[in-house]
Short mmCIF file of all heavy atoms in Angstrom, two decimals:
data_model
loop_
_atom_site.label_atom_id
_atom_site.label_comp_id
_atom_site.label_asym_id
_atom_site.label_seq_id
_atom_site.Cartn_x
_atom_site.Cartn_y
_atom_site.Cartn_z
N ALA V 249 55.55 99.29 116.97
CA ALA V 249 54.36 98.45 116.86
C ALA V 249 53.14 99.26 117.25
O ALA V 249 53.24 100.20 118.04
CB ALA V 249 54.49 97.23 117.78
N VAL V 250 52.00 98.87 116.69
CA VAL V 250 50.74 99.50 117.10
C VAL V 250 49.81 98.44 117.67
O VAL V 250 49.70 97.34 117.11
CB VAL V 250 50.06 100.26 115.93
CG1 VAL V 250 49.73 99.34 114.76
CG2 VAL V 250 48.81 101.00 116.41
N ALA V 251 49.21 98.77 118.80
CA ALA V 251 48.18 97.90 119.39
C ALA V 251 46.84 98.59 119.20
O ALA V 251 46.74 99.81 119.37
CB ALA V 251 48.45 97.69 120.88
N ILE V 252 45.82 97.81 118.83
CA ILE V 252 44.46 98.34 118.77
C ILE V 252 43.65 97.59 119.82
O ILE V 252 43.60 96.36 119.80
CB ILE V 252 43.82 98.17 117.38
CG1 ILE V 252 44.73 98.77 116.31
CG2 ILE V 252 42.45 98.84 117.34
CD1 ILE V 252 44.26 98.50 114.89
N HIS V 253 43.09 98.36 120.74
CA HIS V 253 42.33 97.77 121.84
C HIS V 253 40.84 97.89 121.51
O HIS V 253 40.33 99.01 121.36
CB HIS V 253 42.67 98.47 123.15
CG HIS V 253 44.14 98.53 123.45
ND1 HIS V 253 44.91 97.39 123.59
CD2 HIS V 253 44.98 99.57 123.62
CE1 HIS V 253 46.16 97.74 123.86
NE2 HIS V 253 46.24 99.05 123.88
N TYR V 254 40.17 96.75 121.39
CA TYR V 254 38.76 96.71 121.01
C TYR V 254 37.87 96.46 122.22
O TYR V 254 38.26 95.72 123.13
CB TYR V 254 38.49 95.58 120.01
CG TYR V 254 39.23 95.72 118.70
CD1 TYR V 254 40.54 95.27 118.58
CD2 TYR V 254 38.63 96.31 117.60
CE1 TYR V 254 41.23 95.41 117.40
CE2 TYR V 254 39.32 96.45 116.41
CZ TYR V 254 40.63 96.00 116.31
OH TYR V 254 41.31 96.14 115.13
N MET V 255 36.66 97.05 122.21
CA MET V 255 35.66 96.74 123.23
C MET V 255 34.57 95.90 122.58
O MET V 255 34.28 96.07 121.39
CB MET V 255 34.99 98.01 123.76
CG MET V 255 35.89 98.91 124.53
SD MET V 255 34.97 100.36 125.15
CE MET V 255 34.95 101.42 123.70
N THR V 256 33.93 95.06 123.39
CA THR V 256 32.75 94.35 122.91
C THR V 256 31.52 95.17 123.30
O THR V 256 31.62 96.11 124.10
CB THR V 256 32.64 92.95 123.54
OG1 THR V 256 32.34 93.13 124.93
CG2 THR V 256 33.93 92.16 123.38
N SER V 257 30.36 94.77 122.78
CA SER V 257 29.14 95.54 123.05
C SER V 257 28.67 95.40 124.49
O SER V 257 27.70 96.04 124.89
CB SER V 257 28.04 95.12 122.08
OG SER V 257 27.92 93.72 122.07
N GLU V 258 29.35 94.58 125.31
CA GLU V 258 28.95 94.51 126.72
C GLU V 258 29.65 95.59 127.55
O GLU V 258 29.37 95.73 128.75
CB GLU V 258 29.20 93.11 127.32
CG GLU V 258 30.65 92.74 127.50
CD GLU V 258 30.84 91.35 128.13
OE1 GLU V 258 29.88 90.79 128.70
OE2 GLU V 258 31.97 90.85 128.05
N ALA V 259 30.58 96.36 126.96
CA ALA V 259 31.34 97.35 127.73
C ALA V 259 30.43 98.47 128.23
O ALA V 259 29.64 99.04 127.47
CB ALA V 259 32.45 97.94 126.86
N ILE V 260 30.55 98.77 129.53
CA ILE V 260 29.80 99.91 130.09
C ILE V 260 30.79 100.87 130.75
O ILE V 260 31.92 100.52 131.07
CB ILE V 260 28.73 99.45 131.11
CG1 ILE V 260 29.37 98.60 132.21
CG2 ILE V 260 27.59 98.71 130.44
CD1 ILE V 260 29.10 99.15 133.58
N PHE V 261 30.32 102.12 130.95
CA PHE V 261 31.15 103.18 131.53
C PHE V 261 31.03 103.12 133.05
O PHE V 261 29.93 103.07 133.60
CB PHE V 261 30.66 104.52 130.99
CG PHE V 261 31.37 105.70 131.57
CD1 PHE V 261 32.76 105.78 131.56
CD2 PHE V 261 30.65 106.76 132.12
CE1 PHE V 261 33.42 106.88 132.09
CE2 PHE V 261 31.31 107.86 132.64
CZ PHE V 261 32.69 107.92 132.63
N THR V 262 32.18 103.13 133.72
CA THR V 262 32.18 103.03 135.20
C THR V 262 32.33 104.39 135.89
O THR V 262 32.16 104.47 137.11
CB THR V 262 33.38 102.18 135.66
OG1 THR V 262 34.58 102.90 135.33
CG2 THR V 262 33.39 100.81 135.01
N GLY V 263 32.75 105.42 135.12
CA GLY V 263 33.00 106.73 135.73
C GLY V 263 34.43 106.88 136.23
O GLY V 263 34.86 107.98 136.58
N ARG V 264 35.19 105.79 136.25
CA ARG V 264 36.57 105.90 136.77
C ARG V 264 37.53 106.44 135.71
O ARG V 264 37.20 106.54 134.55
CB ARG V 264 37.02 104.53 137.31
CG ARG V 264 36.25 104.15 138.57
CD ARG V 264 36.93 103.05 139.36
NE ARG V 264 36.85 101.76 138.70
CZ ARG V 264 35.81 100.92 138.79
NH1 ARG V 264 34.76 101.24 139.52
NH2 ARG V 264 35.83 99.77 138.15
N ASP V 265 38.74 106.76 136.14
CA ASP V 265 39.63 107.58 135.32
C ASP V 265 40.49 106.78 134.33
O ASP V 265 40.80 105.61 134.56
CB ASP V 265 40.53 108.42 136.22
CG ASP V 265 40.88 109.74 135.55
OD1 ASP V 265 40.27 110.04 134.51
OD2 ASP V 265 41.76 110.44 136.06
N HIS V 266 40.89 107.45 133.28
CA HIS V 266 41.78 106.91 132.24
C HIS V 266 42.02 108.08 131.29
O HIS V 266 41.23 109.03 131.25
CB HIS V 266 41.10 105.74 131.51
CG HIS V 266 41.94 105.12 130.45
ND1 HIS V 266 41.91 105.53 129.14
CD2 HIS V 266 42.85 104.13 130.49
CE1 HIS V 266 42.76 104.81 128.43
NE2 HIS V 266 43.36 103.96 129.23
N VAL V 267 43.08 108.00 130.49
CA VAL V 267 43.35 109.11 129.57
C VAL V 267 42.21 109.31 128.56
O VAL V 267 41.99 110.42 128.07
CB VAL V 267 44.73 108.89 128.87
CG1 VAL V 267 44.68 107.72 127.90
CG2 VAL V 267 45.20 110.14 128.16
N MET V 268 41.43 108.25 128.28
CA MET V 268 40.31 108.39 127.35
C MET V 268 39.03 108.90 128.03
O MET V 268 38.04 109.20 127.36
CB MET V 268 40.01 107.06 126.64
CG MET V 268 41.08 106.59 125.67
SD MET V 268 41.44 107.79 124.37
CE MET V 268 39.90 107.80 123.46
N ARG V 269 39.05 109.01 129.35
CA ARG V 269 37.86 109.43 130.13
C ARG V 269 37.34 110.79 129.66
O ARG V 269 36.13 111.03 129.64
CB ARG V 269 38.26 109.45 131.62
CG ARG V 269 37.33 110.16 132.58
CD ARG V 269 36.12 109.28 132.84
NE ARG V 269 35.20 109.89 133.80
CZ ARG V 269 34.31 110.84 133.48
NH1 ARG V 269 34.22 111.31 132.25
NH2 ARG V 269 33.49 111.31 134.40
N GLN V 270 38.27 111.68 129.26
CA GLN V 270 37.90 113.04 128.84
C GLN V 270 36.95 113.06 127.64
O GLN V 270 36.28 114.05 127.39
CB GLN V 270 39.16 113.84 128.51
CG GLN V 270 39.97 113.21 127.37
CD GLN V 270 41.35 113.80 127.19
OE1 GLN V 270 41.48 114.98 126.92
NE2 GLN V 270 42.38 112.98 127.32
N PHE V 271 36.89 111.95 126.88
CA PHE V 271 36.06 111.90 125.67
C PHE V 271 34.71 111.20 125.91
O PHE V 271 33.95 111.00 124.98
CB PHE V 271 36.80 111.20 124.54
CG PHE V 271 38.11 111.84 124.20
CD1 PHE V 271 39.31 111.24 124.55
CD2 PHE V 271 38.14 113.06 123.56
CE1 PHE V 271 40.52 111.83 124.25
CE2 PHE V 271 39.35 113.68 123.25
CZ PHE V 271 40.55 113.06 123.60
N ILE V 272 34.49 110.77 127.16
CA ILE V 272 33.27 110.00 127.44
C ILE V 272 32.26 110.90 128.15
O ILE V 272 32.52 111.36 129.26
CB ILE V 272 33.57 108.77 128.33
CG1 ILE V 272 34.70 107.94 127.73
CG2 ILE V 272 32.31 107.92 128.52
CD1 ILE V 272 35.18 106.78 128.63
N ASP V 273 31.13 111.13 127.49
CA ASP V 273 30.09 111.97 128.10
C ASP V 273 28.85 111.09 128.32
O ASP V 273 27.85 111.19 127.63
CB ASP V 273 29.78 113.15 127.15
CG ASP V 273 28.81 114.11 127.77
OD1 ASP V 273 28.64 114.07 129.00
OD2 ASP V 273 28.21 114.91 127.02
N LEU V 274 28.98 110.19 129.28
CA LEU V 274 27.92 109.22 129.56
C LEU V 274 27.65 109.19 131.06
O LEU V 274 28.51 109.61 131.86
CB LEU V 274 28.35 107.80 129.15
CG LEU V 274 28.57 107.48 127.66
CD1 LEU V 274 29.09 106.06 127.52
CD2 LEU V 274 27.28 107.66 126.87
N GLN V 275 26.50 108.69 131.45
CA GLN V 275 26.22 108.40 132.86
C GLN V 275 26.88 107.06 133.20
O GLN V 275 26.99 106.19 132.34
CB GLN V 275 24.71 108.27 133.11
CG GLN V 275 23.89 109.49 132.74
CD GLN V 275 24.28 110.70 133.59
OE1 GLN V 275 24.42 110.58 134.80
NE2 GLN V 275 24.49 111.83 132.94
N VAL V 276 27.27 106.93 134.47
CA VAL V 276 27.82 105.64 134.92
C VAL V 276 26.80 104.55 134.63
O VAL V 276 25.60 104.71 134.89
CB VAL V 276 28.15 105.71 136.42
CG1 VAL V 276 28.48 104.33 136.97
CG2 VAL V 276 29.31 106.67 136.65
N GLY V 277 27.29 103.46 134.06
CA GLY V 277 26.41 102.32 133.77
C GLY V 277 25.90 102.31 132.34
O GLY V 277 25.43 101.29 131.85
N GLN V 278 26.03 103.46 131.65
CA GLN V 278 25.58 103.47 130.24
C GLN V 278 26.55 102.70 129.37
O GLN V 278 27.75 102.59 129.69
CB GLN V 278 25.50 104.91 129.73
CG GLN V 278 24.16 105.56 129.95
CD GLN V 278 24.12 106.93 129.26
OE1 GLN V 278 24.71 107.90 129.74
NE2 GLN V 278 23.41 106.99 128.14
N ARG V 279 26.05 102.21 128.27
CA ARG V 279 26.91 101.38 127.41
C ARG V 279 27.85 102.25 126.58
O ARG V 279 27.45 103.31 126.08
CB ARG V 279 26.07 100.43 126.57
CG ARG V 279 25.04 101.12 125.76
CD ARG V 279 24.15 100.19 124.99
NE ARG V 279 23.67 100.96 123.83
CZ ARG V 279 23.29 100.46 122.69
NH1 ARG V 279 23.26 99.16 122.53
NH2 ARG V 279 22.90 101.23 121.71
N MET V 280 29.05 101.76 126.40
CA MET V 280 30.07 102.49 125.65
C MET V 280 29.68 102.63 124.17
O MET V 280 30.19 103.50 123.48
CB MET V 280 31.44 101.83 125.79
CG MET V 280 32.09 102.07 127.13
SD MET V 280 32.45 103.83 127.45
CE MET V 280 33.74 104.16 126.25
#
Side-chain angles (χ1 to χ4, degrees):
V250 60
I252 306 173
H253 306 300
Y254 298 84
M255 294 182 278
T256 69
S257 50
E258 70 179 344
I260 55 124
F261 177 52
T262 66
R264 291 198 289 276
D265 211 10
H266 181 269
V267 69
M268 292 303 293
R269 166 76 178 80
Q270 61 191 299
F271 302 107
I272 308 173
D273 185 17
L274 294 176
Q275 301 297 314
V276 169
Q278 271 187 285
R279 55 184 206 154
M280 285 297 292

